[in-house]
């Protein structure tokens, strides 16, 4: 049985102290997840972002800094996109990538509450505007990937 709490806002200090990745339970059914208004808006805009001409470069939604490319998408535990909820009730939809640019780690690697068993996580922010973009994950075998929060990214077409 999965127990979910209603999402609520937390202050930035609490979020950074928690590392922003305190997992409660893996969401098995994305339709059951409690989503914020911003996440719902993001999902509605998603179909527009699926246009092949728009998905070559992925940028920070806040400042348009280039972060990664669609070609660096990877599946972790069988999925490219994941939905997780932390103990504060904040639900994150994030996508996994094996290469990023302009993502600055914040804090020390943590093993507690990792959404991927055996992986340490570190909070990452946009180098340009310091928006929290997601997490860097690594394990003892030096495997590294990034989980980037979908609603904080946008697709940008390549210049023709």
């Amino acid at each position: 049985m999965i127990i979910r709490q209603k999402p609520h806002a937390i202050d930035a200090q609490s979020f950074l102290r928690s590392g922003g990745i305190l997992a409660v339970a893996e969401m098995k059914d994305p339709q059951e997840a409690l989503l914020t208004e911003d996440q719902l808006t993001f999902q509605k805009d998603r179909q527009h972002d699926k246009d092949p001409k728009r998905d070559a470069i992925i940028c920070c939604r806040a400042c348009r800094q280039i972060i990664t490319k669609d070609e660096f998408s990877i599946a972790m535990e069988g999925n490219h996109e994941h939905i997780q909820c932390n103990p504060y009730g904040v639900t994150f939809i994030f996508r996994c990538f094996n290469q990023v640019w302009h993502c600055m780690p914040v804090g020390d690697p943590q093993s507690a509450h990792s959404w991927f068993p055996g992986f340490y996580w570190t909070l990452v922010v946009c180098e340009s505007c310091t928006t929290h973009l997601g997490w860097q994950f690594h394990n003892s075998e030096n495997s590294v990937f990034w989980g980037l929060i979908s609603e904080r990214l946008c697709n940008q077409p390549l210049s023709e």
Side-chain angles (χ1 to χ4, degrees):
M1 177 178 189
I2 298 174
I3 300 172
R4 292 178 187 81
Q5 297 175 347
K6 184 176 180 179
H8 61 280
I10 62 170
D11 63 82
Q13 292 295 335
S14 297
F15 185 75
L16 288 174
R17 275 195 307 275
S18 73
I21 186 174
L22 300 173
V24 171
E26 181 178 345
M27 300 293 182
K28 298 292 184 188
D29 182 359
Q31 299 296 1
E32 292 181 17
L34 296 173
L35 302 177
T36 65
E37 187 174 326
D38 287 341
Q39 289 167 326
L40 292 172
T41 301
F42 167 76
Q43 286 186 337
K44 289 177 186 174
D45 293 341
R46 224 168 162 180
Q47 294 307 320
H48 178 68
D49 287 345
K50 292 287 184 185
D51 183 333
K53 294 177 185 169
R54 295 182 47 84
D55 64 5
I57 296 173
I58 298 172
C59 300
C60 171
R61 187 175 293 268
C63 72
R64 301 298 194 251
Q65 175 66 264
I66 294 173
I67 300 299
T68 190
K69 290 181 169 182
D70 237 16
E71 67 188 79
F72 300 125
S73 298
I74 59 169
M76 292 303 296
E77 296 183 353
N79 293 304
H80 165 60
E81 187 171 73
H82 297 263
I83 299 175
Q84 293 289 348
C85 184
N86 71 17
Y88 295 105
V90 179
T91 300
F92 293 100
I93 300 172
F94 62 95
R95 298 182 277 167
C96 299
F97 298 90
N98 62 7
Q99 185 173 337
V100 301
W101 305 280
H102 309 292
C103 284
M104 182 174 59
V106 176
D108 296 323
Q110 304 290 318
S111 61
H113 308 293
S114 180
W115 288 324
F116 299 94
F119 281 85
Y120 291 82
W121 57 269
T122 306
L123 193 75
V124 294
V125 298
C126 176
E127 242 176 26
S128 295
C129 69
T130 68
T131 294
H132 171 222
L133 293 179
W135 308 269
Q136 178 188 52
F137 294 91
H138 73 279
N139 64 14
S140 58
E141 288 86 41
N142 293 322
S143 294
V144 178
F145 72 95
W146 288 261
L148 302 179
I149 302 167
S150 298
E151 69 183 2
R152 300 195 185 152
L153 304 173
C154 65
N155 293 344
Q156 181 173 310
L158 289 172
S159 299
E160 297 181 9

PDB file of all heavy atoms in Angstrom, residues 27-63:
ATOM      1  N   MET A  27       6.277   5.570  -7.325  1.00  0.00           N
ATOM      2  CA  MET A  27       4.928   5.630  -7.861  1.00  0.00           C
ATOM      3  C   MET A  27       4.806   4.579  -8.960  1.00  0.00           C
ATOM      4  O   MET A  27       5.496   4.650  -9.956  1.00  0.00           O
ATOM      5  CB  MET A  27       4.638   7.011  -8.458  1.00  0.00           C
ATOM      6  CG  MET A  27       4.759   8.125  -7.471  1.00  0.00           C
ATOM      7  SD  MET A  27       3.469   7.988  -6.246  1.00  0.00           S
ATOM      8  CE  MET A  27       3.823   9.420  -5.285  1.00  0.00           C
ATOM      9  N   LYS A  28       3.946   3.603  -8.790  1.00  0.00           N
ATOM     10  CA  LYS A  28       3.746   2.548  -9.784  1.00  0.00           C
ATOM     11  C   LYS A  28       2.826   3.007 -10.901  1.00  0.00           C
ATOM     12  O   LYS A  28       2.949   2.585 -12.026  1.00  0.00           O
ATOM     13  CB  LYS A  28       3.172   1.284  -9.135  1.00  0.00           C
ATOM     14  CG  LYS A  28       4.077   0.682  -8.100  1.00  0.00           C
ATOM     15  CD  LYS A  28       5.315   0.109  -8.729  1.00  0.00           C
ATOM     16  CE  LYS A  28       6.167  -0.580  -7.675  1.00  0.00           C
ATOM     17  NZ  LYS A  28       7.439  -1.000  -8.153  1.00  0.00           N
ATOM     18  N   ASP A  29       1.872   3.858 -10.579  1.00  0.00           N
ATOM     19  CA  ASP A  29       0.910   4.336 -11.567  1.00  0.00           C
ATOM     20  C   ASP A  29       0.990   5.853 -11.635  1.00  0.00           C
ATOM     21  O   ASP A  29       0.545   6.534 -10.725  1.00  0.00           O
ATOM     22  CB  ASP A  29      -0.501   3.895 -11.172  1.00  0.00           C
ATOM     23  CG  ASP A  29      -1.550   4.317 -12.193  1.00  0.00           C
ATOM     24  OD1 ASP A  29      -1.208   4.968 -13.200  1.00  0.00           O
ATOM     25  OD2 ASP A  29      -2.727   4.005 -11.964  1.00  0.00           O
ATOM     26  N   PRO A  30       1.564   6.412 -12.734  1.00  0.00           N
ATOM     27  CA  PRO A  30       1.713   7.862 -12.826  1.00  0.00           C
ATOM     28  C   PRO A  30       0.397   8.619 -12.683  1.00  0.00           C
ATOM     29  O   PRO A  30       0.384   9.744 -12.232  1.00  0.00           O
ATOM     30  CB  PRO A  30       2.304   8.075 -14.224  1.00  0.00           C
ATOM     31  CG  PRO A  30       2.918   6.769 -14.590  1.00  0.00           C
ATOM     32  CD  PRO A  30       2.129   5.715 -13.875  1.00  0.00           C
ATOM     33  N   GLN A  31      -0.724   7.996 -13.050  1.00  0.00           N
ATOM     34  CA  GLN A  31      -2.009   8.680 -12.944  1.00  0.00           C
ATOM     35  C   GLN A  31      -2.395   8.926 -11.490  1.00  0.00           C
ATOM     36  O   GLN A  31      -3.169   9.817 -11.187  1.00  0.00           O
ATOM     37  CB  GLN A  31      -3.112   7.851 -13.626  1.00  0.00           C
ATOM     38  CG  GLN A  31      -2.874   7.636 -15.097  1.00  0.00           C
ATOM     39  CD  GLN A  31      -2.895   8.923 -15.900  1.00  0.00           C
ATOM     40  OE1 GLN A  31      -3.067  10.013 -15.363  1.00  0.00           O
ATOM     41  NE2 GLN A  31      -2.698   8.820 -17.192  1.00  0.00           N
ATOM     42  N   GLU A  32      -1.849   8.132 -10.575  1.00  0.00           N
ATOM     43  CA  GLU A  32      -2.197   8.271  -9.164  1.00  0.00           C
ATOM     44  C   GLU A  32      -1.390   9.360  -8.469  1.00  0.00           C
ATOM     45  O   GLU A  32      -1.706   9.747  -7.361  1.00  0.00           O
ATOM     46  CB  GLU A  32      -1.950   6.952  -8.436  1.00  0.00           C
ATOM     47  CG  GLU A  32      -2.888   5.846  -8.849  1.00  0.00           C
ATOM     48  CD  GLU A  32      -2.603   4.572  -8.086  1.00  0.00           C
ATOM     49  OE1 GLU A  32      -1.920   4.631  -7.038  1.00  0.00           O
ATOM     50  OE2 GLU A  32      -3.064   3.519  -8.530  1.00  0.00           O
ATOM     51  N   ALA A  33      -0.314   9.815  -9.080  1.00  0.00           N
ATOM     52  CA  ALA A  33       0.563  10.787  -8.436  1.00  0.00           C
ATOM     53  C   ALA A  33      -0.164  12.106  -8.240  1.00  0.00           C
ATOM     54  O   ALA A  33      -0.948  12.531  -9.077  1.00  0.00           O
ATOM     55  CB  ALA A  33       1.816  11.000  -9.275  1.00  0.00           C
ATOM     56  N   LEU A  34       0.116  12.757  -7.132  1.00  0.00           N
ATOM     57  CA  LEU A  34      -0.424  14.088  -6.889  1.00  0.00           C
ATOM     58  C   LEU A  34       0.520  15.086  -7.542  1.00  0.00           C
ATOM     59  O   LEU A  34       1.699  15.116  -7.232  1.00  0.00           O
ATOM     60  CB  LEU A  34      -0.512  14.349  -5.384  1.00  0.00           C
ATOM     61  CG  LEU A  34      -1.480  13.444  -4.627  1.00  0.00           C
ATOM     62  CD1 LEU A  34      -1.341  13.692  -3.135  1.00  0.00           C
ATOM     63  CD2 LEU A  34      -2.891  13.689  -5.081  1.00  0.00           C
ATOM     64  N   LEU A  35       0.010  15.901  -8.455  1.00  0.00           N
ATOM     65  CA  LEU A  35       0.847  16.821  -9.200  1.00  0.00           C
ATOM     66  C   LEU A  35       0.501  18.258  -8.852  1.00  0.00           C
ATOM     67  O   LEU A  35      -0.648  18.587  -8.583  1.00  0.00           O
ATOM     68  CB  LEU A  35       0.666  16.603 -10.703  1.00  0.00           C
ATOM     69  CG  LEU A  35       0.966  15.186 -11.202  1.00  0.00           C
ATOM     70  CD1 LEU A  35       0.685  15.096 -12.690  1.00  0.00           C
ATOM     71  CD2 LEU A  35       2.390  14.793 -10.908  1.00  0.00           C
ATOM     72  N   THR A  36       1.510  19.110  -8.920  1.00  0.00           N
ATOM     73  CA  THR A  36       1.289  20.533  -8.688  1.00  0.00           C
ATOM     74  C   THR A  36       0.689  21.147  -9.942  1.00  0.00           C
ATOM     75  O   THR A  36       0.695  20.545 -11.013  1.00  0.00           O
ATOM     76  CB  THR A  36       2.610  21.250  -8.373  1.00  0.00           C
ATOM     77  OG1 THR A  36       3.439  21.195  -9.531  1.00  0.00           O
ATOM     78  CG2 THR A  36       3.311  20.635  -7.175  1.00  0.00           C
ATOM     79  N   GLU A  37       0.195  22.361  -9.828  1.00  0.00           N
ATOM     80  CA  GLU A  37      -0.381  23.059 -10.974  1.00  0.00           C
ATOM     81  C   GLU A  37       0.658  23.234 -12.081  1.00  0.00           C
ATOM     82  O   GLU A  37       0.348  23.069 -13.261  1.00  0.00           O
ATOM     83  CB  GLU A  37      -0.915  24.420 -10.533  1.00  0.00           C
ATOM     84  CG  GLU A  37      -1.679  25.141 -11.621  1.00  0.00           C
ATOM     85  CD  GLU A  37      -2.320  26.423 -11.109  1.00  0.00           C
ATOM     86  OE1 GLU A  37      -2.735  26.461  -9.932  1.00  0.00           O
ATOM     87  OE2 GLU A  37      -2.378  27.369 -11.892  1.00  0.00           O
ATOM     88  N   ASP A  38       1.919  23.564 -11.718  1.00  0.00           N
ATOM     89  CA  ASP A  38       2.975  23.716 -12.712  1.00  0.00           C
ATOM     90  C   ASP A  38       3.230  22.418 -13.455  1.00  0.00           C
ATOM     91  O   ASP A  38       3.466  22.404 -14.657  1.00  0.00           O
ATOM     92  CB  ASP A  38       4.288  24.175 -12.066  1.00  0.00           C
ATOM     93  CG  ASP A  38       4.241  25.627 -11.630  1.00  0.00           C
ATOM     94  OD1 ASP A  38       3.364  26.368 -12.122  1.00  0.00           O
ATOM     95  OD2 ASP A  38       5.088  26.018 -10.809  1.00  0.00           O
ATOM     96  N   GLN A  39       3.192  21.292 -12.743  1.00  0.00           N
ATOM     97  CA  GLN A  39       3.418  20.004 -13.386  1.00  0.00           C
ATOM     98  C   GLN A  39       2.283  19.670 -14.347  1.00  0.00           C
ATOM     99  O   GLN A  39       2.515  19.137 -15.422  1.00  0.00           O
ATOM    100  CB  GLN A  39       3.585  18.901 -12.343  1.00  0.00           C
ATOM    101  CG  GLN A  39       4.897  19.019 -11.603  1.00  0.00           C
ATOM    102  CD  GLN A  39       4.946  18.145 -10.365  1.00  0.00           C
ATOM    103  OE1 GLN A  39       3.940  17.939  -9.694  1.00  0.00           O
ATOM    104  NE2 GLN A  39       6.121  17.645 -10.062  1.00  0.00           N
ATOM    105  N   LEU A  40       1.047  20.004 -13.961  1.00  0.00           N
ATOM    106  CA  LEU A  40      -0.078  19.765 -14.854  1.00  0.00           C
ATOM    107  C   LEU A  40       0.038  20.609 -16.111  1.00  0.00           C
ATOM    108  O   LEU A  40      -0.224  20.143 -17.212  1.00  0.00           O
ATOM    109  CB  LEU A  40      -1.401  20.037 -14.131  1.00  0.00           C
ATOM    110  CG  LEU A  40      -1.748  19.046 -13.020  1.00  0.00           C
ATOM    111  CD1 LEU A  40      -2.969  19.526 -12.239  1.00  0.00           C
ATOM    112  CD2 LEU A  40      -1.977  17.665 -13.583  1.00  0.00           C
ATOM    113  N   THR A  41       0.434  21.873 -15.965  1.00  0.00           N
ATOM    114  CA  THR A  41       0.645  22.744 -17.116  1.00  0.00           C
ATOM    115  C   THR A  41       1.738  22.179 -18.004  1.00  0.00           C
ATOM    116  O   THR A  41       1.607  22.137 -19.215  1.00  0.00           O
ATOM    117  CB  THR A  41       1.029  24.169 -16.654  1.00  0.00           C
ATOM    118  OG1 THR A  41      -0.020  24.664 -15.832  1.00  0.00           O
ATOM    119  CG2 THR A  41       1.258  25.090 -17.835  1.00  0.00           C
ATOM    120  N   PHE A  42       2.822  21.694 -17.379  1.00  0.00           N
ATOM    121  CA  PHE A  42       3.915  21.096 -18.142  1.00  0.00           C
ATOM    122  C   PHE A  42       3.401  19.916 -18.952  1.00  0.00           C
ATOM    123  O   PHE A  42       3.720  19.766 -20.124  1.00  0.00           O
ATOM    124  CB  PHE A  42       5.037  20.626 -17.219  1.00  0.00           C
ATOM    125  CG  PHE A  42       6.023  19.745 -17.907  1.00  0.00           C
ATOM    126  CD1 PHE A  42       6.973  20.287 -18.761  1.00  0.00           C
ATOM    127  CD2 PHE A  42       5.969  18.373 -17.745  1.00  0.00           C
ATOM    128  CE1 PHE A  42       7.853  19.466 -19.426  1.00  0.00           C
ATOM    129  CE2 PHE A  42       6.859  17.561 -18.409  1.00  0.00           C
ATOM    130  CZ  PHE A  42       7.797  18.105 -19.254  1.00  0.00           C
ATOM    131  N   GLN A  43       2.573  19.047 -18.361  1.00  0.00           N
ATOM    132  CA  GLN A  43       2.074  17.875 -19.074  1.00  0.00           C
ATOM    133  C   GLN A  43       1.215  18.279 -20.265  1.00  0.00           C
ATOM    134  O   GLN A  43       1.272  17.652 -21.311  1.00  0.00           O
ATOM    135  CB  GLN A  43       1.291  16.969 -18.131  1.00  0.00           C
ATOM    136  CG  GLN A  43       2.195  16.204 -17.196  1.00  0.00           C
ATOM    137  CD  GLN A  43       1.451  15.200 -16.345  1.00  0.00           C
ATOM    138  OE1 GLN A  43       0.246  15.328 -16.122  1.00  0.00           O
ATOM    139  NE2 GLN A  43       2.167  14.210 -15.872  1.00  0.00           N
ATOM    140  N   LYS A  44       0.420  19.342 -20.129  1.00  0.00           N
ATOM    141  CA  LYS A  44      -0.403  19.800 -21.245  1.00  0.00           C
ATOM    142  C   LYS A  44       0.469  20.311 -22.391  1.00  0.00           C
ATOM    143  O   LYS A  44       0.149  20.116 -23.558  1.00  0.00           O
ATOM    144  CB  LYS A  44      -1.360  20.908 -20.784  1.00  0.00           C
ATOM    145  CG  LYS A  44      -2.473  20.405 -19.899  1.00  0.00           C
ATOM    146  CD  LYS A  44      -3.334  21.554 -19.424  1.00  0.00           C
ATOM    147  CE  LYS A  44      -4.358  21.075 -18.421  1.00  0.00           C
ATOM    148  NZ  LYS A  44      -5.109  22.183 -17.831  1.00  0.00           N
ATOM    149  N   ASP A  45       1.577  20.982 -22.062  1.00  0.00           N
ATOM    150  CA  ASP A  45       2.469  21.529 -23.082  1.00  0.00           C
ATOM    151  C   ASP A  45       3.354  20.463 -23.710  1.00  0.00           C
ATOM    152  O   ASP A  45       3.992  20.696 -24.718  1.00  0.00           O
ATOM    153  CB  ASP A  45       3.372  22.614 -22.480  1.00  0.00           C
ATOM    154  CG  ASP A  45       2.595  23.842 -22.065  1.00  0.00           C
ATOM    155  OD1 ASP A  45       1.456  24.009 -22.553  1.00  0.00           O
ATOM    156  OD2 ASP A  45       3.129  24.618 -21.248  1.00  0.00           O
ATOM    157  N   ARG A  46       3.401  19.312 -23.128  1.00  0.00           N
ATOM    158  CA  ARG A  46       4.320  18.259 -23.525  1.00  0.00           C
ATOM    159  C   ARG A  46       4.145  17.793 -24.957  1.00  0.00           C
ATOM    160  O   ARG A  46       5.112  17.490 -25.639  1.00  0.00           O
ATOM    161  CB  ARG A  46       4.086  17.077 -22.612  1.00  0.00           C
ATOM    162  CG  ARG A  46       5.289  16.466 -22.145  1.00  0.00           C
ATOM    163  CD  ARG A  46       4.840  15.560 -21.082  1.00  0.00           C
ATOM    164  NE  ARG A  46       5.886  14.637 -20.872  1.00  0.00           N
ATOM    165  CZ  ARG A  46       5.846  13.704 -20.012  1.00  0.00           C
ATOM    166  NH1 ARG A  46       4.781  13.546 -19.292  1.00  0.00           N
ATOM    167  NH2 ARG A  46       6.838  12.918 -19.854  1.00  0.00           N
ATOM    168  N   GLN A  47       2.907  17.683 -25.414  1.00  0.00           N
ATOM    169  CA  GLN A  47       2.668  17.220 -26.771  1.00  0.00           C
ATOM    170  C   GLN A  47       3.328  18.159 -27.773  1.00  0.00           C
ATOM    171  O   GLN A  47       3.898  17.724 -28.758  1.00  0.00           O
ATOM    172  CB  GLN A  47       1.163  17.106 -27.048  1.00  0.00           C
ATOM    173  CG  GLN A  47       0.482  16.028 -26.221  1.00  0.00           C
ATOM    174  CD  GLN A  47       1.161  14.677 -26.352  1.00  0.00           C
ATOM    175  OE1 GLN A  47       1.589  14.276 -27.424  1.00  0.00           O
ATOM    176  NE2 GLN A  47       1.290  13.970 -25.237  1.00  0.00           N
ATOM    177  N   HIS A  48       3.276  19.445 -27.504  1.00  0.00           N
ATOM    178  CA  HIS A  48       3.930  20.420 -28.369  1.00  0.00           C
ATOM    179  C   HIS A  48       5.439  20.199 -28.384  1.00  0.00           C
ATOM    180  O   HIS A  48       6.079  20.291 -29.419  1.00  0.00           O
ATOM    181  CB  HIS A  48       3.598  21.831 -27.890  1.00  0.00           C
ATOM    182  CG  HIS A  48       4.260  22.908 -28.693  1.00  0.00           C
ATOM    183  ND1 HIS A  48       3.917  23.161 -29.997  1.00  0.00           N
ATOM    184  CD2 HIS A  48       5.238  23.769 -28.367  1.00  0.00           C
ATOM    185  CE1 HIS A  48       4.677  24.151 -30.441  1.00  0.00           C
ATOM    186  NE2 HIS A  48       5.479  24.534 -29.478  1.00  0.00           N
ATOM    187  N   ASP A  49       6.017  19.869 -27.239  1.00  0.00           N
ATOM    188  CA  ASP A  49       7.454  19.644 -27.135  1.00  0.00           C
ATOM    189  C   ASP A  49       7.912  18.357 -27.808  1.00  0.00           C
ATOM    190  O   ASP A  49       9.093  18.167 -28.018  1.00  0.00           O
ATOM    191  CB  ASP A  49       7.890  19.611 -25.662  1.00  0.00           C
ATOM    192  CG  ASP A  49       7.882  20.991 -25.033  1.00  0.00           C
ATOM    193  OD1 ASP A  49       7.830  21.980 -25.773  1.00  0.00           O
ATOM    194  OD2 ASP A  49       7.930  21.061 -23.797  1.00  0.00           O
ATOM    195  N   LYS A  50       6.996  17.444 -28.151  1.00  0.00           N
ATOM    196  CA  LYS A  50       7.359  16.177 -28.775  1.00  0.00           C
ATOM    197  C   LYS A  50       7.689  16.339 -30.262  1.00  0.00           C
ATOM    198  O   LYS A  50       8.163  15.412 -30.889  1.00  0.00           O
ATOM    199  CB  LYS A  50       6.228  15.149 -28.622  1.00  0.00           C
ATOM    200  CG  LYS A  50       6.008  14.705 -27.208  1.00  0.00           C
ATOM    201  CD  LYS A  50       7.106  13.803 -26.750  1.00  0.00           C
ATOM    202  CE  LYS A  50       6.807  13.291 -25.362  1.00  0.00           C
ATOM    203  NZ  LYS A  50       7.870  12.508 -24.814  1.00  0.00           N
ATOM    204  N   ASP A  51       7.427  17.495 -30.850  1.00  0.00           N
ATOM    205  CA  ASP A  51       7.737  17.743 -32.249  1.00  0.00           C
ATOM    206  C   ASP A  51       9.216  17.472 -32.497  1.00  0.00           C
ATOM    207  O   ASP A  51      10.071  18.041 -31.829  1.00  0.00           O
ATOM    208  CB  ASP A  51       7.400  19.204 -32.578  1.00  0.00           C
ATOM    209  CG  ASP A  51       7.620  19.564 -34.027  1.00  0.00           C
ATOM    210  OD1 ASP A  51       8.476  18.926 -34.687  1.00  0.00           O
ATOM    211  OD2 ASP A  51       6.944  20.480 -34.497  1.00  0.00           O
ATOM    212  N   PRO A  52       9.573  16.588 -33.462  1.00  0.00           N
ATOM    213  CA  PRO A  52      10.976  16.225 -33.689  1.00  0.00           C
ATOM    214  C   PRO A  52      11.881  17.417 -33.987  1.00  0.00           C
ATOM    215  O   PRO A  52      13.060  17.383 -33.693  1.00  0.00           O
ATOM    216  CB  PRO A  52      10.924  15.285 -34.894  1.00  0.00           C
ATOM    217  CG  PRO A  52       9.512  14.932 -35.107  1.00  0.00           C
ATOM    218  CD  PRO A  52       8.667  15.897 -34.342  1.00  0.00           C
ATOM    219  N   LYS A  53      11.348  18.485 -34.547  1.00  0.00           N
ATOM    220  CA  LYS A  53      12.163  19.664 -34.843  1.00  0.00           C
ATOM    221  C   LYS A  53      12.511  20.437 -33.580  1.00  0.00           C
ATOM    222  O   LYS A  53      13.386  21.270 -33.581  1.00  0.00           O
ATOM    223  CB  LYS A  53      11.418  20.584 -35.813  1.00  0.00           C
ATOM    224  CG  LYS A  53      11.230  19.982 -37.173  1.00  0.00           C
ATOM    225  CD  LYS A  53      10.434  20.904 -38.055  1.00  0.00           C
ATOM    226  CE  LYS A  53      10.141  20.225 -39.378  1.00  0.00           C
ATOM    227  NZ  LYS A  53       9.173  20.972 -40.158  1.00  0.00           N
ATOM    228  N   ARG A  54      11.784  20.157 -32.488  1.00  0.00           N
ATOM    229  CA  ARG A  54      11.978  20.919 -31.254  1.00  0.00           C
ATOM    230  C   ARG A  54      12.809  20.188 -30.211  1.00  0.00           C
ATOM    231  O   ARG A  54      13.207  20.767 -29.241  1.00  0.00           O
ATOM    232  CB  ARG A  54      10.615  21.253 -30.637  1.00  0.00           C
ATOM    233  CG  ARG A  54       9.774  22.165 -31.481  1.00  0.00           C
ATOM    234  CD  ARG A  54       8.470  22.479 -30.785  1.00  0.00           C
ATOM    235  NE  ARG A  54       8.636  22.857 -29.407  1.00  0.00           N
ATOM    236  CZ  ARG A  54       8.936  24.076 -28.970  1.00  0.00           C
ATOM    237  NH1 ARG A  54       9.115  25.042 -29.810  1.00  0.00           N
ATOM    238  NH2 ARG A  54       9.044  24.315 -27.688  1.00  0.00           N
ATOM    239  N   ASP A  55      13.063  18.879 -30.387  1.00  0.00           N
ATOM    240  CA  ASP A  55      13.645  18.156 -29.269  1.00  0.00           C
ATOM    241  C   ASP A  55      15.139  17.879 -29.384  1.00  0.00           C
ATOM    242  O   ASP A  55      15.643  17.011 -28.706  1.00  0.00           O
ATOM    243  CB  ASP A  55      12.875  16.874 -29.006  1.00  0.00           C
ATOM    244  CG  ASP A  55      12.935  15.886 -30.154  1.00  0.00           C
ATOM    245  OD1 ASP A  55      13.644  16.134 -31.125  1.00  0.00           O
ATOM    246  OD2 ASP A  55      12.265  14.864 -30.062  1.00  0.00           O
ATOM    247  N   ALA A  56      15.860  18.576 -30.221  1.00  0.00           N
ATOM    248  CA  ALA A  56      17.290  18.312 -30.374  1.00  0.00           C
ATOM    249  C   ALA A  56      18.099  18.802 -29.177  1.00  0.00           C
ATOM    250  O   ALA A  56      18.987  18.116 -28.715  1.00  0.00           O
ATOM    251  CB  ALA A  56      17.803  18.949 -31.655  1.00  0.00           C
ATOM    252  N   ILE A  57      17.799  19.987 -28.666  1.00  0.00           N
ATOM    253  CA  ILE A  57      18.540  20.567 -27.543  1.00  0.00           C
ATOM    254  C   ILE A  57      17.581  20.776 -26.378  1.00  0.00           C
ATOM    255  O   ILE A  57      16.462  21.229 -26.558  1.00  0.00           O
ATOM    256  CB  ILE A  57      19.170  21.927 -27.938  1.00  0.00           C
ATOM    257  CG1 ILE A  57      20.196  21.725 -29.033  1.00  0.00           C
ATOM    258  CG2 ILE A  57      19.812  22.590 -26.731  1.00  0.00           C
ATOM    259  CD1 ILE A  57      20.742  23.020 -29.589  1.00  0.00           C
ATOM    260  N   ILE A  58      18.051  20.445 -25.170  1.00  0.00           N
ATOM    261  CA  ILE A  58      17.234  20.620 -23.965  1.00  0.00           C
ATOM    262  C   ILE A  58      17.902  21.692 -23.105  1.00  0.00           C
ATOM    263  O   ILE A  58      19.091  21.611 -22.803  1.00  0.00           O
ATOM    264  CB  ILE A  58      17.094  19.294 -23.201  1.00  0.00           C
ATOM    265  CG1 ILE A  58      16.390  18.274 -24.099  1.00  0.00           C
ATOM    266  CG2 ILE A  58      16.335  19.507 -21.890  1.00  0.00           C
ATOM    267  CD1 ILE A  58      16.348  16.879 -23.541  1.00  0.00           C
ATOM    268  N   CYS A  59      17.110  22.703 -22.727  1.00  0.00           N
ATOM    269  CA  CYS A  59      17.621  23.870 -22.010  1.00  0.00           C
ATOM    270  C   CYS A  59      16.942  24.039 -20.660  1.00  0.00           C
ATOM    271  O   CYS A  59      15.871  23.492 -20.417  1.00  0.00           O
ATOM    272  CB  CYS A  59      17.358  25.133 -22.830  1.00  0.00           C
ATOM    273  SG  CYS A  59      18.122  25.116 -24.447  1.00  0.00           S
ATOM    274  N   CYS A  60      17.568  24.854 -19.816  1.00  0.00           N
ATOM    275  CA  CYS A  60      16.947  25.290 -18.564  1.00  0.00           C
ATOM    276  C   CYS A  60      15.756  26.181 -18.937  1.00  0.00           C
ATOM    277  O   CYS A  60      15.910  27.135 -19.708  1.00  0.00           O
ATOM    278  CB  CYS A  60      17.970  26.077 -17.738  1.00  0.00           C
ATOM    279  SG  CYS A  60      17.277  26.892 -16.282  1.00  0.00           S
ATOM    280  N   ARG A  61      14.589  25.858 -18.435  1.00  0.00           N
ATOM    281  CA  ARG A  61      13.387  26.639 -18.755  1.00  0.00           C
ATOM    282  C   ARG A  61      13.508  28.082 -18.233  1.00  0.00           C
ATOM    283  O   ARG A  61      12.997  29.014 -18.841  1.00  0.00           O
ATOM    284  CB  ARG A  61      12.155  25.972 -18.161  1.00  0.00           C
ATOM    285  CG  ARG A  61      10.845  26.620 -18.575  1.00  0.00           C
ATOM    286  CD  ARG A  61       9.637  25.855 -18.060  1.00  0.00           C
ATOM    287  NE  ARG A  61       9.480  24.555 -18.646  1.00  0.00           N
ATOM    288  CZ  ARG A  61       8.738  24.296 -19.735  1.00  0.00           C
ATOM    289  NH1 ARG A  61       8.093  25.260 -20.343  1.00  0.00           N
ATOM    290  NH2 ARG A  61       8.638  23.063 -20.189  1.00  0.00           N
ATOM    291  N   ALA A  62      14.207  28.286 -17.123  1.00  0.00           N
ATOM    292  CA  ALA A  62      14.296  29.613 -16.515  1.00  0.00           C
ATOM    293  C   ALA A  62      15.190  30.574 -17.299  1.00  0.00           C
ATOM    294  O   ALA A  62      14.858  31.744 -17.452  1.00  0.00           O
ATOM    295  CB  ALA A  62      14.791  29.495 -15.079  1.00  0.00           C
ATOM    296  N   CYS A  63      16.338  30.092 -17.801  1.00  0.00           N
ATOM    297  CA  CYS A  63      17.293  31.017 -18.439  1.00  0.00           C
ATOM    298  C   CYS A  63      17.711  30.602 -19.848  1.00  0.00           C
ATOM    299  O   CYS A  63      18.482  31.303 -20.493  1.00  0.00           O
ATOM    300  CB  CYS A  63      18.537  31.164 -17.562  1.00  0.00           C
ATOM    301  SG  CYS A  63      19.596  29.706 -17.534  1.00  0.00           S
TER     302      CYS A  63
END
